[in-house]
Amino acid sequence: MKINELFKKKKVVYSFEIFPPKVNDGIDKILNTLDSIRDLRPDYVSITYSAGGSKNSRTKEIAQIVKNNYGIEPLAHLTCVNSTREEVERAIDGLVDIGVENVLALRGDRIEGEIKSDFSHASDLVEFIKSRSDINVAGACYPEGHPESANIVEDIRNLKIKVNKGVTHLNSQLFFDNDDYLKYIDMLRLAGIDVPVQAGVMPLVKASQFGGIVKMTGAKIPSKISRMYSKFADDPDALAEAGIAYATDQIVDLLSSGVDGIHLYIMNNAYVAKRITDNIRPILDKLNG
């Protein structure tokens, strides 16, 4: 099923994001994660591309497993800045051949010496995909602005170009301040961007996430999270429980505000996915009738 159809059927779309194992690693761990999250009934599962932009991605392999072995719709990430037109064409054809109907079009991380001139922006990739297939294309958005944009207004202008070229829904980068996100959605609507937007939520359940992923994305850290980290950084179990509680509260507030969907960055952690889903499932079911 094309994901854009889900937004026509549901008031709130709920999805998870996972990442493939490294090329030389087995897939047992990701299979264990999928075994555990299948019963949580996500509307779809997003599969990232390789970190750092490497072409040695197992996204296609995992997407095929998600669709055929687990009966869950996959959203396969596809990057372009380090690839030629021919390489991207083969990647698209490969996904279509295995029955993938949804792609998240991304520029990708630049790799020195690997950057090609065929695609400079995600919007170029969107246009190319739409020119050669009827695959459904999703895009990414940044509630606090893309780190390479001069300002949020410039970023939204670029986002509108991407949407106008064929993006049917957007997944947001992680954020922790709901007020900032809701103001951002207002800005998108004023700019004429009217496709559904899923709020990207990452539960902070490990101390390493504070200095790694959060720092890399540049997401603003509210004082509530800073206090949580200061209090529980040396107690992994307490920090995990506090992170789950914060993410649950954040999602409930987002659902109360009428968001189109929740995209949960679970970092392949099935326990976190289950705890949060169990917490919010009655609300999701009520909203979706």
Side-chain angles (χ1 to χ4, degrees):
M1 172 186 282
K2 293 183 178 179
I3 292 171
N4 61 312
E5 294 298 322
L6 288 171
F7 289 98
K8 298 175 184 178
K9 296 178 179 180
K10 293 193 164 193
K11 289 185 178 178
V12 182
V13 171
Y14 183 57
S15 56
F16 299 143
E17 182 159 302
I18 61 173
F19 57 88
K22 294 179 181 178
V23 173
N24 296 324
D25 292 346
I27 63 170
D28 290 347
K29 185 174 181 180
I30 196 67
L31 292 180
N32 289 337
T33 299
L34 291 168
D35 285 341
S36 299
I37 67 174
R38 170 168 44 188
D39 292 339
L40 302 180
R41 296 183 285 133
D43 292 308
Y44 69 88
V45 168
S46 176
I47 305 107
T48 69
Y49 208 73
S50 297
S54 170
K55 294 180 189 177
N56 298 318
S57 176
R58 302 177 75 176
T59 304
K60 175 184 170 183
E61 176 188 0
I62 302 303
Q64 186 172 23
I65 291 170
V66 168
K67 187 174 183 75
N68 296 335
N69 293 22
Y70 291 90
I72 303 171
E73 200 61 46
L75 173 64
H77 292 207
L78 182 63
T79 66
C80 62
V81 71
N82 304 308
S83 301
T84 64
R85 204 172 181 84
E86 290 73 24
E87 289 169 334
V88 171
E89 187 173 14
R90 286 197 296 272
I92 296 168
D93 290 346
L95 291 170
V96 171
D97 287 345
I98 63 172
V100 171
E101 298 181 73
N102 302 281
V103 166
L104 180 67
L106 301 164
R107 185 198 70 185
D109 298 324
R110 293 188 174 98
I111 304 174
E112 188 174 351
E114 290 288 331
I115 300 172
K116 307 299 190 297
S117 60
D118 291 341
F119 303 95
S120 299
H121 307 286
S123 56
D124 301 328
L125 177 58
V126 174
E127 186 173 33
F128 184 69
I129 294 171
K130 299 304 292 185
S131 73
R132 62 167 294 102
S133 77
D134 67 348
I135 202 165
N136 183 60
V137 183
C141 64
Y142 299 81
E144 297 174 66
H146 193 284
E148 296 180 20
S149 290
N151 52 60
I152 192 76
V153 174
E154 178 186 271
D155 188 39
I156 291 174
R157 286 198 190 105
N158 292 332
L159 180 63
K160 189 169 183 179
I161 293 171
K162 185 163 61 176
V163 170
N164 288 345
K165 288 187 176 182
V167 164
T168 63
H169 96 270
L170 297 165
N171 283 349
S172 91
Q173 178 62 278
L174 63 92
F175 63 94
F176 302 103
D177 189 322
N178 287 356
D179 287 341
D180 286 346
Y181 177 79
L182 295 171
K183 289 175 186 175
Y184 176 71
I185 296 299
D186 287 341
M187 293 176 70
L188 296 190
R189 301 318 183 205
L190 286 171
I193 298 172
D194 59 1
V195 297
V197 185
Q198 279 185 267
V201 175
M202 176 178 284
L204 294 176
V205 295
K206 293 182 179 179
S208 59
Q209 290 177 297
F210 290 80
I213 296 166
V214 174
K215 185 176 180 180
M216 180 180 69
T217 62
K220 184 176 75 177
I221 302 297
S223 56
K224 285 175 66 174
I225 289 184
S226 296
R227 289 193 296 270
M228 181 180 81
Y229 178 75
S230 297
K231 182 69 173 178
F232 303 120
D234 295 328
D235 187 337
D237 292 338
L239 183 63
E241 291 303 314
I244 289 169
Y246 186 94
T248 297
D249 181 67
Q250 184 182 4
I251 292 170
V252 170
D253 183 54
L254 288 166
L255 294 175
S256 301
S257 301
V259 296
D260 297 314
I262 301 295
H263 188 60
L264 195 64
Y265 295 99
I266 67 171
M267 303 304 293
N268 293 0
N269 190 324
Y271 173 77
V272 171
K274 176 172 172 47
R275 286 288 308 280
I276 292 176
T277 303
D278 286 348
N279 288 342
I280 66 169
R281 175 56 68 187
I283 301 173
L284 287 174
D285 289 347
K286 183 73 172 177
L287 289 172
N288 287 322

